[in-house]
Amino acid sequence: MDVIVEPKSRRTIREWNVKAAKMAKNSSNPIRALVDEMKLTPNPDKEMIALSIGDPTVFGNLPPSTVASEAVVEATRSNKFNGYAPCVGYESARVAVAEYTSWPSAPITAKDVVFASGCSGALDLAISVLVNPGQNILLPRPGFSLYKTFADAVGIHVRYYDLIPEKSWEVDLDQMESLMDNDTAAILINNPSNPCGSVFSIKHIREILAVAEKNKVPVIADEIYAHFVFPGHEYISMASQTTTVPILACGGLTKRFLVPGWRMGWVTIHDRHGVFEKEVRAGLTGLSQRTLGPNTLVQGALAKILTQTPSHFFDSTLQAIHRNARICFEALSNVCGLRPVMPQGAMYMMVGIDMDRFPEFKNDKEFTECLVTEQSVFCLPAQCFEYPDYFRIVLTVPEDKISEACDRIAEFCNVHYCREMMDTFY
Ligand SMILES: *Cc1c(COP(=O)(O)O)cnc(C)c1O
């Protein structure tokens, strides 16, 4: 048989000229970009206190539970978890997550769980499976910047819905609905919230779901701060409050179990009416095959971690963070020109700046920059979260550091606060 050779056009390039692909060029974390261009030169006479990094392990005051570290050691020593797991994850680990994340009103099983490298990996899966380039996704403002990173990389349009600080950062529902059109492929809800530290009530969760239901838009729920709420507040999963809106919930060990480096996250599929049945489930499986799944050792340890971590571990973490939140809130409430918003959970507090009282500074970025220069305290300007005139404080640092940082912030504001404006009223 004759072999037919297709006529080919030959390569003519003779010089090296290798470019990064578009997706890589369009991938960047806005926080890094902003922080890199800030002039951060701490005061040499004052020890630096970074209230900027959302990693609870950096100061060593919040170690993980020994149950978790021992479970990983045991999984490693067993030699049972050195091979490839199925891309979506080991069955035993999927069962453990299904049990851990199920609510009486929203039970799921192992087949509804897909593992990923951290909650970021889970978010990447969820966004990638639901949204095409050219379509749009609704994101919270202020909000976690990584969502936009994923969207920008592939040409997904971002539309921001507003969270209202005066209403404990609840969603502006009318404005959210006004953003929706036929190309809206998903709404992302982050509850409890980074950077706001807000925790939505059942009533508000139902209101959001009603908008999703009315417009038939699926929800991606970033629930990495599940159960991470202060006394008096209640964590409610999105999925537990609807039987009709299909939800991809993203979670993981990172924050509650204080192990960001372990990179263990998951997507759980909540879909009582089979909306995701035809394509989305298979799409998630397909996407999980791109990486062949995450780390197997942590999967091997997962059942033990999720069922045997003692409740006093979670309680003492939350107590420490809550204590810091109250110290910070009280201290900064008495500072002229600042408006701290008391968080209800997660590990952050947003602080509003009355910028017209600080005319030396053009914006929150200049304000926080100068705070580093004079007081060696670094807080992220809320520009990092697409929000002006606020800064975010990370509350996982040791208590003495948070008190010291608040004293210095107060001193800074006293120096720069402009009282003169009052006079113009008289
Ligand atoms: C920390 C964080 C994540 C990322 O979690 P990883 O498991 O480290 O990937 C996702 N969403 C929010 C809102 C976060 O604060």
Side-chain angles (χ1 to χ4, degrees), residues 124-140:
D124 190 9
L125 290 179
I127 293 172
S128 300
V129 81
L130 290 180
V131 196
N132 266 315
Q135 290 188 303
N136 65 73
I137 184 169
L138 308 193
L139 300 182

Side-chain angles (χ1 to χ4, degrees), residues 398-414:
E399 194 179 312
D400 57 321
K401 291 232 193 289
I402 209 98
S403 305
E404 168 73 19
C406 286
D407 289 347
R408 294 195 210 163
I409 293 171
E411 190 183 319
F412 176 82
C413 290
N414 274 333

Side-chain angles (χ1 to χ4, degrees), residues 54 117-121 123 144 146-147 190 192-194 222 224-225 251-255 260-261 263-265 347-348 392:
S117 175
C119 184
S120 337
L123 288 160
F144 188 53
L146 200 64
Y147 313 134
N190 174 214
S193 156
N194 174 8
D222 181 352
I224 188 65
Y225 297 99
L253 292 184
T254 299
K255 303 287 165 43
R263 311 311 301 136
M264 173 45 67
M347 26 190 249
Y348 313 97
R392 185 194 74 170

